[in-house]
Amino acid sequence: MNQPGVPAGHNRTAGDRKVTMYRNGSIYTAADPFATAMVVDGDTVAWVGSEQAATSIADSSMEIIDLRGALLAPGFVDSHAHLTETGLALSGVDLATVRSAKELLDAVATAGGNGTIVGHGWDETAWNDSSLPTIEELDRAGAGRQVYLSRIDVHSALVSSSLAAAAGLKGVDGFSGGAQVVRAAHTAARMTVRQFPEAVRRGLQERALKEAASHGYVALAEMSAPHICGPDDLRLATSWNDLGGSPEVLPYWGELASSAEHAGNILGGLGTKVLGLAGDLNVDGSLGSRTAALLDDYADAPGNRGSLYLSVDDAARHLAATSQLGVQAGFHVIGDAGLAAVLEALDVAAAEVGEQRIRAAGHRLEHVEMADQSAIDKLAKYSITVSVQPGFDAAWGAPGGLYEQRLGGRSKAMNPFASFYASGVPIAFGSDSPVTPLRPWTSVRACLEHSNPEQRISARAAFLGHTRAGWRAAKYRNPLMGQLVPGAPASFAVWEVEELMVQVADSRVQSWSTDPRARTPLLPALDTGSDPRCLQTVREGQELFAHESLRV
C-alpha cells in the first residue's frame, strides 16, 4: 500500500495515502466485539463498526475488500526467531521426517547441488534406534563434500571429517572425533559453514521473511548473537526495516557486558540499533543435546547435568550494566540449574544497582522450560518477561517423548504457562524458528492442548501472548501496537476460517473469560483439524502478503 521502497508509516503525503475498507467479516477488536468492518486510512486504523454503518460511509475513493466471512485480527509477533537460520532450514535438506540413521544418510547421499551439504531437523529421540551415524558413514554419504546437519534444537550437529578439518575442531571442547559436535565445537562448525556472501545471506533472510508474512506475522524478534551468525548478519536483518515490504524485525544482540561502559561500547559498535543485549546469550544449552544445565542428572545419561556457559557473576555484571543504561538484558535459559544461576544473578545485580532499576529495564528470558513456583515468584518480583515456545511442548511433551526421555518424572512440570500467568509473569510466545515452524495458530493450539492439563491457558490468553504481548516484551514505542482500534497502526492479518466461536475460558484464570456477555471478540475454532489460512498480511498499512483468492 506504500510506494515501493517507502517504509510503512514513514514519509507519507496526502497523495500517497490509500483508504481501504474491509467489510462482511469478523474484526477482532476491543472497540466493538461484534464489528464486521474496518477502515484503514494510510497506515492507521481509522474506524471499526457494523456492516450497516460501513454501507453508509463507503465511497468510490476506497478500495473495498469483501472479507466473505473471514476473520481480520491483529498480526502475529514471533518473540524469538532466527532469520538466516530459518532461511537455511527452508532451503537445505529437510531432516524432520527421517526416522533412522540410514534415512538420514540416504538424505545426504541424494542431496543436490555442490558445495557444503546443509541440513536441519533430525531428532533421534523420535527414532526406534537412536544410534547416530559415524563420521565415516557421513563422509561416504557426502562423497567428500563438507556436511553440516543441525539437530532440531540447533544446539548440536553432525559434521563430516572435511568440515571438522576446515573448522579446526581437533582439540576443541565438544568434539571427540565422532560426527556429533556440541558446545564450542558446534559453534566453530556452524560459523565455518555460515561464511556466506552477502547476496546469499540476503536471499536466506528474504525467504524467511516471506515465509513469516505468508503466515500472518507482522514482526519477528531476531535473536542474533556472536556465536550464531555475527554482527554482519544482524545489520542485514535490521536493514529490512528501512526497505519496507516485510514483517518488522525486532533486533536483539546476545553479547555479554561486564560494565555499563562495556555495554555502551558493544551497542555503539554494532553499526545498527538494537532493543537490548538479550536473546540467545546462552546461560546453558538444550535438553535434546543434553547441554541444558540441570540440578540433577539427565534421566538417560547418569552423571551428566549439562553445561553452564555463564557464571552467576557473569550474569550479574551483565544485568547490572544494562540496568544502569536502562537497556533490556536477557539470557537463553532452559534447565533448572541455568535458571537458578540467573535468579541468583538478579539478586546480586539488584543489591548493586537497586531493585527498581532491574524492574524498570524490562529484562527478558528466553525459553525458561523448567521453573518451579519459587522461581516463578522471583521472576514476577523483578518483572522479568518470559519468551516461551509452545511448539516445544507440542513436539516433545507427550508421554514417551523427548522431555520424558531426558528428565523422567520431572518432565510433567515443563513449560508452566498457566503458572506464569497466574503469578503475574509477563509472557510472550514465539517459535524459535527454525526449531519449530512459523505457524502461529499451531502454536496457539499448543497452548490449549498443553501436555499437562494444569498448564493449559485460554484461547484468548494464548492469542494475546502471540500478538500484543510480543510488542510489549520488546518495549515497543507505540502502546497501541497489537490492537485494532481507531488510531492504532494498521498491522493485521486476514484469515479464512472454518468456524468462529467463543472459546471456553480457563477455569483457573477467570479474568480471561470469553463469555459473550463479556463482549469478547471471536476466535477461530482450533479443533477442526486444520489451521486458518492466511489471506492477507498488512504491516502499518503496507501489504506484505496476499493470497490469490483475497480480491477474487
Side-chain angles (χ1 to χ4, degrees), residues 180-214:
Q180 188 173 20
V181 292
V182 295
R183 298 188 297 276
H186 176 237
T187 296
R190 175 163 61 182
M191 295 300 286
T192 299
V193 171
R194 280 149 181 71
Q195 300 305 310
F196 307 118
E198 183 173 345
V200 172
R201 192 182 303 276
R202 180 173 294 277
L204 293 171
Q205 292 190 2
E206 183 176 23
R207 182 161 185 179
L209 288 166
K210 286 183 175 179
E211 174 78 3
S214 71

Side-chain angles (χ1 to χ4, degrees), residues 3 144 171 178 182 233 243 274 307 326 379 396:
Q3 293 177 345
V182 295
D233 194 84
L243 296 174
V274 295
S307 304
L379 292 171
W396 305 312

